Structure formats: structure tokens, C-alpha cells
Amino acid sequence: MIFFLALRNLFLLRKRYAVMIIAIMLGFSLITVITALSNGAISVVKNKTARFFSGEVSVIPFSKEDRRYTEDPNELINYLKKSSLKIKSISPRTISYYSDANVIFFGGKYTELQRTVGVDFDTEYHVFSRLPIIAGSIQSMLEPDSENGIVLSAAVCGYLNAQVGDDITVQTQLDGGQFNTQTFILKAIFDEQNFFGYVSYMHRKALNMLLSYNENAATEIAIYSKGHTNITSFAEKVRTHLERSYQTLPQITTRKEYQLAWRNHKKGTETLAVISTDSQLDQIDKLLKAFLLGVYFILVVFLAITLVGILNTYKVLVYERTREIGAMRAMGMQKNQVKALFLTEAFFLSLFSSLCGFFLSFIILLAFHSINFYDFILISVFVEHGRLQFSITPQQTCINIFLIVVTVLLAAVQPSHKACNIQPVDALRS
Amino acid sequence: MNFNRKSIFFLIILFLASLLHAKENLLKKVDDLVTFKDNDLSAEYIIETRKPEGSISSTTAAMFRRDAKNQYLILILKPEADKGKGYLKIGDVLWLYDPDNGNFTFTSAKDRFQNTGLRNSDFNRSNYEGDYTIENSAKEKLGKFDCTVLELKARHNRAAFPKVKLWISDDFLVRKIEDYSLSGQLMRTTAIPTYQKTGDKWIPSSLTVLDHLVSKKIKDTVVFERTVITIKNPSLSPLPDSVYTKEYLQRMR
């Protein structure tokens, strides 16, 4: 009965409630847009980081010869595969780390890269198939004659004026510093204009040859988890498992800690370092968390304004509906029922407005997604295919709806309390 | 009879050893002629680089070298944008100084010098004898010079170029150098047609460096990046120790 009356009142008083509905709807969509874009940006950066470094979790062997290197990565891989850890994929990688050592030459120009990465494209296909390819294809790196293939970014190819099929000369330095060079065929170009674009991807065996390593050697092991949202805790599980059979460094939570561990590594000892994308991104992560904190501050301010606005509107509503309340009370409605009626109205009001806000935010997000941010270098780290990505999670949406509903109910408590205390005689006389 | 066989074998070994020694000695002579162990060397370097697409850039630098202590300091004088930048090598450590922010950063000897065909290590004293062993030798005429061509292989992995080919004229001066990567790809060719005598030693008057990695095909012709280095006003005057310091570069700001 109360539900029916509340819905009926909402419908009949729709013109009076319209301003409130619009205000809550706009606020809800604002919060949803900001959180969805933030989550999308975080997800994009984490994917790029996992690709650029070595998976969501990297296991890095520090060798006796003071190198990041292992002759037999399969031993470690098999050990981890036998564990109960939820692993989606595990694959060896070889990385030529030093930027001044990795130079790409084409057409009379050259550019330094942050790193040259050797990967097993078959085991990491699920990662590289998500690369935003703008020319050529990643599938071509799986073909039998692709051993001298290379994948470069649009930033590098744009500068060198290189196109798919061109011969690219790659220069690296061996661990001692000697130069080695090799010509590769450009197989694919991916869309990246920032730091994450200054990398080249090639077959691990080809890079091993270029660095004069053993054919099967690797410098890192890239691990992707199966359904883990907390990568830091997954990394710790990997580390704890490795610790049972190998000398392993304590948990590394920042890139600085990792660099310190590398500097302090003693020659003659073999140690494993385990580092997650969260640790690699600790600086960016802090920035994003600060940004999200700002978002939630805006949310709190918005909720406070909503609370005051709704409180005042309800006060006016209660005053205007005094005769109606009197009539209901005269017909036998109890005090608590009057209070429940007003609170139910507020509940449906907030729920309806939030749902409208949700659909509005979806339209706004689609509009944002349709804008090409390709030329905006400053935000290019956060975009994929030149477009902002968004992520609306059910949990986040439920939290936002819950916050709005609670705020509106809180605002409605005092006026509804006042309404239920009105005496029917006084009300009908007014 | 037995004695004769042993003698012949011994003589052959002796002959081969002397040949090898003569070749190694050749590298020592080459190094000695261009190394200034008893003096400081200072000179002005004018480095002009022509990119394959035709653009030309020019850098002028003052170079101070103390071979006895394996030190050098290079101060960029031109262009105006790079004026005051400097390189300081003390032992195996090479610093790059940026006057804009006043910072010194580590840099690699294998890096390009100011984006030219030169490497920072090209300013080091010559040490072919220490860094390379001779794999092969032959006689060859190079223009007007009768040369011994030596194919060298790096003794250790710190030498930037794993394989080097040298053309040495009869006066023990290097006239042409080819630097190869480990895969055998020709990376760089350096021609040194003229030298100038400084004291009892020699330094090149000019060098031409062709960078084979920075090349472009223009109308069926492969054009390489070409760097021409002219060395002017060489001097063996003693320099104070304070020249080979970070403070010196900071003062020149």
C-alpha cells in the first residue's frame, strides 16, 4: 500500500520533483563518468605496463655473473606451472634494457629505444593480439618465416618514415658493451605515441642471437594471472612459492626498491626478484590514487549539496502537503506509515534518478569514447587506439547508487518526521 | 738427422713467433705514434655532419687530453645552443655536463658524440695493441699509400667494435679504418688522408667518417651520413690539473 501510494505521489507530483530528479541524475552521471574513465585509464596503463615490462608479474633472475639472465628459464616455468597458482600464461622474455644500447636505423635516420623485447609470440598471443595494430598484423609474427620480423610503434615508424615490409637495422650492445647489428623486416606497427612506444618487439630467439645469448636464454619470466584483480597479492603468492625452492628477494613494492636490489646484488650469488605491474607503476599508481581521491572529494561535496537541497525541498513539500497529510491521518493512517510513505517516495526518487543518471553517463561516456585523442600526447598514455577507454563495474555502480540513495533518505528523514507529527485536526484546519 | 728435424721445427716456431711479434709490434708502433704519454694534448675540433637527406650541422669543440692518466675534457664552443656542454673522462668514467641545468650525468663511451658519426670513445688514446689481436694481414695499395691491411678481433668484450680492419701505411700511420659489428656488418668507415706532426708524434689533420647504418637510397645511390672532422691548432703545452675537473666545466658555463 505504502509502495503504491509512494509511486502514485511521485507520478502525480512529477513536476515538483522534476528539478530534484534532474539534479540527482546529473550528479550521479558526473560521478559515474569520472569513475568509469579513471578505471578505464588505470586498466589501459596496467595493460601497457604488463606488455612493456614483463607480464602482470615478472620473475627476474639475477645470475652469478651479475646479469639479469638465465640459461634455462624452462626449469623455473615448469616449477611455477606445477604450483596451484592461478596462472593464465607464463612465458620467458629476453630484454635488452639500456636505452643508449638499443638503436633503430632506417632511411638515413635513427632513434634510441627504451628497450628491445624478445617474446614468444605463440605463448603471449593473448597479450599481443590486443596491441592496437595500425599496419600489418601480429599474426604475421606467428608465421614460420617471421624469425627476422620486428614490431614497432607509430611514434618510431613515424619518425623514421618506415612502413610494413621495410628493412630495419637494429643495433644493440652485448653485456660488455660491444656492438651488434641485424636487419629485421617490419611486420606490424602499433599505435603508441608515448614512452610505451619506444620499444621494439621481436622473437626471443632472434634477440638472444643479437645479444650473443644461448638460444633458450631469458632475462625475465612474464606471468599473467587468471582472474586476479589484486596483482600485488598474486605477486606475493608467486614469490612465496618460489622462495620454497629458490633464493628469492623479499617482497618488492616499488621500482626504486627493485633498482636498489639490483644494485646491491652480490656477484657470485643467484637470486630471483619478483616484481608486479603495481610496483612498476608505483609512481603513476600514486598519481591515479590521488586523482581518485579528488574524485571522491567531489562526490562528497556533491552529496552534501544534494543533502541540503533535498532537505529544503522536502521541507517545502511537507508544508505544501499538510492538508493531504491531515486527510491521510484522519482516514486512519498511523504516524509511522506517514513517515514510511515520505521515505519510500525519497527512495524511489533517488533510485529512479540514479538509473536515469546511469543511462545519461553511458551516453556521455560513448561520446567521450568517440573523440580521437591521437594528437593529445599528454594523455596518450591513458588511451588505446587513440580513444579513452571506460570501465563501468557493477560494484562501482552499486556503490554510487547506494551513496545517492542513502544521501536522499538522510535528507528526507527530518521532514518526514515533521510530517508524521502533524495533528490531523491542525492539518485540516490549515 | 733427429737433431736437424728438431732444429727445423724450432726455427719454424721461431720464425712464426717473430712474424707474430712483428705484427703485434706493428700495432704498438701505430699506437705509439698517436699517443702523447709525456704531454698534454689540446686541439680545436671542427666537426661537420652531412645527413643523407642533405642537412648539415656543425660543431666546434676544444679538446684537452692527458693520455698518461687516461683523461680528456671536451668543451663545446659552437653551435650556440650547445655552448658550454662538456664531456669529462676520468679513467673509465665519462661525464656529460649540461650547463642549462648544471647537472653531470654518466654517459657511455660508445654513444655518439653530439649526434655525429664520432663516438665518445674516438677521443680516447689509441690502444689497438691492448684491445685487439691480429687475425689476418695483407698488403694493399690505398690511393698513393702502400698499406698493410690488418684484420683485428677484439681481445675483450669492452672494445666497442668486435672486428676492425686497419690500413696502415709504411710510416705506421693509420689511413683507413673499417669498424664491424659482431654479426660482421660494416658499421663505419674512417679515412685519414693527412696527419700533422706535433712534437715527435702525429695527429690527423682531417678525418672523414662514413656511417654505414645511417644511409638512404637516393636515385639508386646509397648515401651515407658523412662526418668530416678538421683538427686545428694542436698544442703540447702543459695544462694544469684543474682542467680535468668538473669545476672547470662549471666555470666555463
Side-chain angles (χ1 to χ4, degrees):
Chain A
M1 183 64 178
I2 296 287
F3 279 94
F4 171 74
L5 275 175
L7 285 171
R8 180 184 149 272
N9 286 344
L10 259 183
F11 181 72
L12 292 175
L13 296 168
R14 60 187 182 276
K15 281 184 183 167
R16 182 150 294 282
Y17 277 124
V19 178
M20 245 196 288
I21 289 170
I22 290 168
I24 296 169
M25 190 177 77
L26 287 176
F28 184 87
S29 55
L30 174 78
I31 295 303
T32 307
V33 165
I34 293 172
T35 47
L37 287 178
S38 308
N39 289 336
I42 291 169
S43 165
V44 166
V45 173
K46 285 194 173 173
N47 285 340
K48 287 182 180 182
T49 308
R51 210 158 47 211
F52 184 86
F53 291 102
S54 276
E56 290 172 336
V57 174
S58 317
V59 178
I60 304 163
F62 293 173
S63 76
K64 279 182 184 168
E65 300 81 27
D66 210 14
R67 291 193 292 171
R68 284 171 274 207
Y69 178 82
T70 176
E71 294 252 324
D72 185 15
N74 291 330
E75 187 197 319
L76 272 173
I77 289 172
N78 290 334
Y79 176 74
L80 286 166
K81 272 184 179 172
K82 281 178 194 162
S83 71
S84 58
L85 294 162
K86 287 181 180 171
I87 293 171
K88 184 177 182 182
S89 78
I90 178 164
S91 173
R93 279 191 181 193
T94 298
I95 295 174
S96 172
Y97 295 97
Y98 307 106
S99 60
D100 50 1
N102 301 301
V103 189
I104 297 272
F105 297 85
F106 178 75
K109 287 182 178 176
Y110 59 90
T111 185
E112 285 182 358
L113 301 179
Q114 290 292 326
R115 49 176 52 201
T116 302
V117 182
V119 297
D120 291 357
F121 283 93
D122 46 356
T123 48
E124 291 206 55
Y125 185 72
H126 70 99
V127 180
F128 286 90
S129 60
R130 286 165 63 189
L131 259 183
I133 299 292
I134 54 171
S137 73
I138 280 294
Q139 280 86 352
S140 63
M141 289 301 281
L142 297 172
E143 287 163 10
D145 63 341
S146 70
E147 65 269 15
N148 62 344
I150 192 168
V151 180
L152 293 172
S153 74
V156 171
C157 292
Y159 174 71
L160 299 177
N161 210 10
Q163 289 169 356
V164 169
D166 283 335
D167 285 348
I168 306 286
T169 303
V170 177
Q171 176 199 293
T172 55
Q173 283 178 31
L174 311 190
D175 288 336
Q178 280 187 338
F179 289 118
N180 201 7
T181 53
Q182 189 72 48
T183 303
F184 290 84
I185 299 169
L186 184 56
K187 293 280 186 183
I189 301 171
F190 63 96
D191 180 16
E192 202 65 80
Q193 293 287 342
N194 49 68
F195 169 83
F196 290 114
Y198 285 85
V199 58
S200 67
Y201 296 104
M202 59 175 71
H203 285 286
R204 181 170 59 98
K205 284 180 181 170
L207 184 57
N208 280 343
M209 210 161 113
L210 199 56
L211 294 170
S212 219
Y213 288 169
N214 274 357
E215 192 185 56
N216 287 320
T219 59
E220 300 191 9
I221 290 163
I223 305 171
Y224 283 86
S225 71
K226 200 188 280 175
H228 267 274
T229 46
N230 188 342
I231 298 303
T232 306
S233 83
F234 176 66
E236 183 53 15
K237 282 178 190 164
V238 171
R239 197 194 68 79
T240 317
H241 183 73
L242 285 169
E243 208 172 30
R244 287 180 203 150
S245 303
Y246 298 91
Q247 190 176 329
T248 310
L249 288 172
Q251 188 181 18
I252 292 169
T253 53
T254 63
R255 194 154 174 78
K256 211 173 173 180
E257 274 179 26
Y258 167 69
Q259 282 161 346
L260 201 70
W262 171 237
R263 270 203 297 273
N264 293 338
H265 171 244
K266 284 184 189 132
K267 210 173 178 176
T269 58
E270 270 180 351
T271 323
L272 297 175
V274 179
I275 185 162
S276 69
T277 43
D278 290 343
S279 311
Q280 301 272 24
L281 276 176
D282 64 306
Q283 294 295 325
I284 295 178
D285 209 37
K286 276 176 193 161
L287 272 175
L288 288 170
K289 276 179 183 157
F291 176 69
L292 275 179
L293 213 68
V295 169
Y296 282 106
F297 176 73
I298 296 170
L299 177 67
V300 169
V301 172
F302 162 74
L303 290 176
I305 294 168
T306 311
L307 196 117
V308 174
I310 292 170
L311 183 77
N312 289 332
T313 314
Y314 259 97
K315 276 182 178 171
V316 176
L317 266 175
V318 168
Y319 176 76
E320 284 177 354
R321 291 167 67 184
T322 306
R323 286 176 71 86
E324 184 193 330
I325 294 164
M328 284 190 293
R329 292 279 282 117
M331 283 190 286
M333 198 179 238
Q334 298 300 309
K335 275 185 178 182
N336 281 347
Q337 285 176 310
V338 173
K339 196 174 181 177
L341 177 69
F342 272 90
L343 287 176
T344 312
E345 272 182 47
F347 173 77
F348 282 124
L349 171 82
S350 55
L351 199 65
F352 176 73
S353 309
S354 298
L355 288 175
C356 291
F358 181 77
F359 289 113
L360 179 67
S361 62
F362 203 74
I363 293 164
I364 296 169
L365 285 167
L366 284 177
F368 264 116
H369 185 70
S370 69
I371 301 168
N372 195 336
F373 289 94
Y374 190 81
D375 294 324
F376 293 80
I377 300 294
L378 277 177
I379 61 161
S380 62
V381 171
F382 303 106
V383 301
E384 211 158 67
H385 292 280
R387 290 165 203 284
L388 284 171
Q389 305 297 311
F390 60 88
S391 162
I392 300 176
T393 59
Q395 298 99 310
Q396 188 68 56
T397 311
C398 288
I399 289 169
N400 290 351
I401 292 176
F402 176 77
L403 287 172
I404 292 286
V405 170
V406 168
T407 307
V408 175
L409 286 176
L410 279 174
V413 165
Q414 199 256 337
S416 58
H417 185 72
K418 198 177 169 187
C420 72
N421 283 324
I422 295 172
Q423 292 301 317
V425 181
D426 297 337
L428 289 169
R429 237 194 334 249
S430 67
Chain B
M1 187 68 179
N2 214 0
F3 171 77
N4 280 347
R5 268 190 192 166
K6 274 184 181 172
S7 305
I8 290 165
F9 180 72
F10 178 73
L11 283 172
I12 289 169
I13 295 289
L14 202 70
F15 175 70
L16 289 174
S18 63
L19 268 182
L20 193 70
H21 179 70
K23 282 181 189 171
E24 298 295 339
N25 213 22
L26 183 61
L27 285 183
K28 187 175 181 337
K29 279 182 183 168
V30 165
D31 287 335
D32 283 348
L33 270 183
V34 291
T35 303
F36 298 80
K37 280 187 176 160
D38 303 322
N39 305 90
D40 286 319
L41 171 69
S42 54
E44 187 182 325
Y45 277 61
I46 299 159
I47 303 157
E48 202 173 80
T49 301
R50 188 187 180 92
K51 299 279 177 195
E53 82 278 6
S55 67
I56 297 173
S57 62
S58 179
T59 301
T60 305
M63 196 275 302
F64 308 99
R65 208 173 90 189
R66 183 173 281 177
D67 289 348
K69 287 191 172 176
N70 198 14
Q71 295 175 332
Y72 69 65
L73 181 136
I74 301 164
L75 182 67
I76 308 293
L77 307 172
K78 282 179 192 169
E80 202 57 40
D82 293 329
K83 193 177 176 180
K85 270 188 189 168
Y87 294 80
L88 173 64
K89 182 173 184 282
I90 302 170
D92 289 334
V93 181
L94 180 62
W95 298 94
L96 170 63
Y97 175 67
D98 185 353
D100 290 340
N101 52 27
N103 287 342
F104 283 89
T105 48
F106 283 116
T107 187
S108 166
K110 280 123 190 165
D111 271 4
R112 285 164 188 276
F113 177 77
Q114 294 291 301
N115 291 323
T116 68
L118 285 178
R119 305 271 173 180
N120 295 333
S121 56
D122 291 331
F123 294 93
N124 289 345
R125 67 181 168 86
S126 175
N127 189 28
Y128 286 113
E129 192 202 5
D131 291 341
Y132 293 94
T133 54
I134 299 166
E135 288 278 289
N136 228 329
S137 77
K139 290 281 181 188
E140 197 176 287
K141 192 138 178 98
L142 179 71
K144 61 180 180 179
F145 301 108
D146 289 316
C147 292
T148 304
V149 185
L150 299 180
E151 285 177 26
L152 309 180
K153 191 182 167 192
R155 283 180 194 273
H156 49 79
N157 61 10
R158 293 184 308 281
F161 300 100
K163 295 169 198 166
V164 171
K165 214 168 162 184
L166 290 183
W167 278 255
I168 302 162
S169 55
D170 290 340
D171 49 8
F172 303 110
L173 292 171
V174 175
R175 299 295 171 174
K176 185 180 165 186
I177 309 163
E178 283 183 355
D179 298 313
Y180 293 85
S181 72
L182 191 69
S183 64
Q185 184 169 11
L186 177 59
M187 293 179 73
R188 203 170 68 152
T189 302
T190 307
I192 316 169
T194 55
Y195 280 83
Q196 49 196 319
K197 194 158 189 183
T198 313
D200 59 344
K201 306 282 178 164
W202 296 86
I203 68 163
S205 301
S206 72
L207 307 89
T208 302
V209 179
L210 292 185
D211 195 322
H212 291 264
L213 297 180
V214 189
S215 62
K216 192 176 185 180
K217 209 169 185 181
I218 300 170
K219 288 178 189 167
D220 295 333
T221 312
V222 180
V223 181
F224 300 108
E225 181 186 278
R226 174 190 287 265
T227 303
V228 178
I229 303 110
T230 310
I231 303 171
K232 284 184 174 173
N233 309 321
S235 164
L236 298 181
S237 305
L239 297 166
D241 292 346
S242 60
V243 169
Y244 304 100
T245 59
K246 287 181 177 179
E247 291 73 26
Y248 183 80
L249 279 172
Q250 285 168 325
R251 276 208 307 276
M252 293 295 121
R253 200 173 169 176

